Amino acid sequence: MELFLSILRSFLTHLCSRMKQIPPNDSKGLPGAPAPTGRLDALDALRAVMMLLGVVLHVSLVYNSWKPGPGWAFKDTANVWPVLDAVWFFIHPFRLPLFYVSAGYLGALLVAKRGWAGFWRNRVRRIGYPFAVFSAVLGPLVIAASVYSFRVLGGDPDPWGRVVSVFTSDRWLPVRHMLGMTRINGVSAVGPGFHLWFLYDLMAYAALAVALHVAVRWLSASSPKGAAVFARIRQTLSAGLTAVMAGPWIRTLVLTALYGSLLFAVEQLGVPTPRVPSGWFVFSDATAWIPFLVYGGYFALGWSFFGAPLWSHMSRNPGWQFVLGGVLHVLLQVSGGPKGWHAEWPTYFLEAASTVLLVFGLLAFFLAYVNRPSSALRYLLDASYWVYLIHMPLVCVLPGLLGPDVWWTGTKFFAVLILVLGISMGTYEFGVRGRWLGVFLGGERPSK
């Protein structure tokens, strides 16, 4: 116990010294510094890449070696490529955390530029409306495409007849599936909004941020002493965050301890640790709060980065962080992997350390080398939103259209991936960009 207290005392002393050493603003003119508008091109690029990697992961689910289940209901078992198992396990841990970190920073930037009312209007227009419209439009298409491929790959002689029967035998059956009230054979997880669940969560985080702001503002207005207390708490938290996040080793240790403890604590509740929700938060999935809490932490972390003198520190050392994270990830998989997310407690901390290092290694790389205005990256960001919105029906229907025949290993995966990206990017260029749909999604001005 004395040894533990001595180590803890030394750590806190070192942390306090760092808090005093870091200047109020160290970002001007340095790598990773925000633009005068506060925008970070590196985070825009990260969001685009992470959304496109989601397409890769979804296509891989058709051709990896996993058995069909609630997460993905149909497989092309004649064209399995086990390499895709490793692709999924490598990309998935860092993709969503990076997306939510960048989304949190963007939220704080919007508040700084437009105020809280402008922030909420922007979130409703950019996230709420697209989620509602595309969930309603794409939901039936995903159901039809999934049932079709499920039947084709299962050898059914009349796959389209099965699709028609789903929509005619009980007209409310697709609606009940989309709401999480039932499951249609051959269709994967219900959502919320199928693959658009992250928009659902983003709107919830925005609503919570507004509610927290209103509560703090009301308490501060009702008590001058309370306002002073909130100001001190905010100042202390900001200084502590800067001290922890500026140092790669301290950052890795602290976040690994927090994230690993969260994963382990969830396991002790007796439920697996899901990476995505399998139903509508609160309404139809009792465990959907778990990914909501996990990714909400990353969103809050990204939000807290705005205005903090961190970026020049966080743009350093991309190489060793990413390499070490990759090595730990390989050790995790070689040791048996997550084993259905019911492994011994060291596994969770190994997974947490790998995730933290990969997240901040990639963040450092983009801050150091991709943090500059680029018309190509801006185009990719705008297009990636559309690609991610509409790719799922294509991912579901193309394996059925290609049929159950055996191809060379991996060729079907690449064929579907290329077709999905090609069709999605083509429809963006010729049907969305500069048109009313582009305005609806991103506030673009229609071309004259």
Side-chain angles (χ1 to χ4, degrees):
M1 178 60 71
E2 291 182 0
L3 177 61
F4 172 76
L5 292 176
S6 175
I7 295 173
L8 180 61
R9 191 180 302 112
S10 300
F11 174 76
L12 292 176
T13 302
H14 176 68
L15 188 59
C16 292
S17 65
R18 289 193 60 84
M19 291 170 65
K20 296 178 181 178
Q21 292 172 2
I22 295 175
N25 191 344
D26 65 345
S27 63
K28 294 181 179 179
L30 296 175
T37 61
R39 196 170 193 96
L40 281 163
D41 296 290
L43 295 187
D44 286 341
L46 266 174
R47 281 193 299 140
V49 172
M50 294 307 111
M51 280 198 280
L52 293 177
L53 283 179
V55 180
V56 176
L57 293 185
H58 288 151
V59 177
S60 75
L61 287 171
V62 183
Y63 301 104
N64 66 13
S65 65
W66 301 351
K67 294 181 179 179
W72 197 263
F74 65 89
K75 296 281 183 175
D76 187 347
T77 55
N79 291 277
V80 167
W81 191 21
V83 170
L84 297 175
D85 297 8
V87 170
W88 174 276
F89 281 126
F90 177 69
I91 295 175
H92 199 52
F94 66 75
R95 186 181 75 88
L96 286 171
L98 272 173
F99 177 83
Y100 279 110
V101 166
S102 61
Y105 180 89
L106 176 62
L109 172 62
L110 285 171
V111 170
K113 292 176 64 176
R114 304 185 184 185
W116 284 96
F119 162 75
W120 180 249
R121 286 194 297 269
N122 178 275
R123 297 297 81 187
V124 170
R125 180 174 57 82
R126 284 267 319 199
I127 298 175
Y129 292 158
F131 173 76
V133 171
F134 281 88
S135 293
V137 172
L138 297 180
L141 294 178
V142 170
I143 291 173
S146 298
V147 171
Y148 171 75
S149 288
F150 174 73
R151 293 296 179 176
V152 169
L153 298 176
D156 194 311
D158 184 23
W160 285 119
R162 297 291 186 178
V163 173
V164 172
S165 69
V166 167
F167 288 88
T168 56
S169 61
D170 178 358
R171 62 181 180 179
W172 294 110
L173 180 61
V175 176
R176 289 190 285 116
H177 179 95
M178 291 165 62
L179 294 177
M181 299 167 62
T182 188
R183 285 288 178 90
I184 297 175
N185 193 27
V187 182
S188 302
V190 297
F194 294 96
H195 61 298
L196 304 182
W197 65 268
F198 75 95
L199 298 178
Y200 180 75
D201 280 6
L202 282 178
M203 279 305 302
Y205 297 144
L208 288 174
V210 172
L212 181 61
H213 165 73
V214 171
V216 170
R217 186 175 179 179
W218 180 80
L219 290 172
S220 299
S222 61
S223 171
K225 290 184 179 179
V229 170
F230 282 126
R232 285 197 296 271
I233 291 175
R234 182 176 180 180
Q235 184 178 11
T236 301
L237 289 176
S238 178
L241 174 78
T242 300
V244 170
M245 301 304 295
W249 289 112
I250 294 178
R251 176 176 67 231
T252 301
L253 289 174
V254 171
L255 293 182
T256 295
L258 291 174
Y259 192 31
S261 299
L262 177 62
L263 295 177
F264 181 67
V266 167
E267 175 69 19
Q268 300 312 300
L269 296 176
V271 294
T273 309
R275 293 303 187 251
V276 297
S278 58
W280 295 78
F281 177 60
V282 175
F283 298 106
S284 66
D285 183 1
T287 63
W289 63 270
I290 298 171
F292 183 81
L293 176 64
V294 171
Y295 298 129
Y298 284 107
F299 181 86
L301 192 64
W303 188 292
S304 66
F305 288 168
F306 181 78
L310 284 170
W311 296 110
S312 64
H313 295 281
M314 294 175 65
S315 64
R316 297 167 184 161
N317 308 308
W320 71 259
Q321 291 185 82
F322 188 80
V323 170
L324 181 56
V327 169
L328 294 180
H329 174 81
V330 171
L331 290 176
L332 176 66
Q333 299 307 317
V334 170
S335 65
K339 300 178 182 178
W341 311 115
H342 286 279
E344 296 297 327
W345 68 266
T347 303
Y348 294 102
F349 290 92
L350 184 61
E351 181 190 356
S354 172
T355 299
V356 169
L357 287 165
L358 289 173
V359 164
F360 286 93
L362 280 168
L363 183 59
F365 176 84
F366 274 74
L367 285 169
Y369 301 111
V370 194
N371 193 35
R372 57 184 61 87
S374 167
S375 57
L377 284 177
R378 186 64 207 179
Y379 179 91
L380 182 64
L381 177 63
D382 293 337
S384 65
Y385 191 19
W386 169 255
V387 171
Y388 197 83
L389 286 172
I390 69 155
H391 80 281
M392 189 60 79
L394 296 171
V395 172
C396 291
V397 76
L398 285 171
L401 293 176
L402 294 180
D405 297 338
V406 179
W407 292 17
W408 290 340
T409 301
T411 52
K412 268 196 174 181
F413 164 76
F414 286 111
V416 172
L417 180 62
I418 292 170
L419 284 171
V420 169
L421 292 176
I423 294 171
S424 301
M425 293 294 291
T427 54
Y428 171 76
E429 175 63 29
F430 298 108
V432 177
R433 187 187 183 199
R435 293 169 173 81
W436 68 268
L437 194 50
V439 176
F440 174 70
L441 293 177
E444 302 174 358
R445 294 182 178 180
S447 57
K448 297 181 179 180

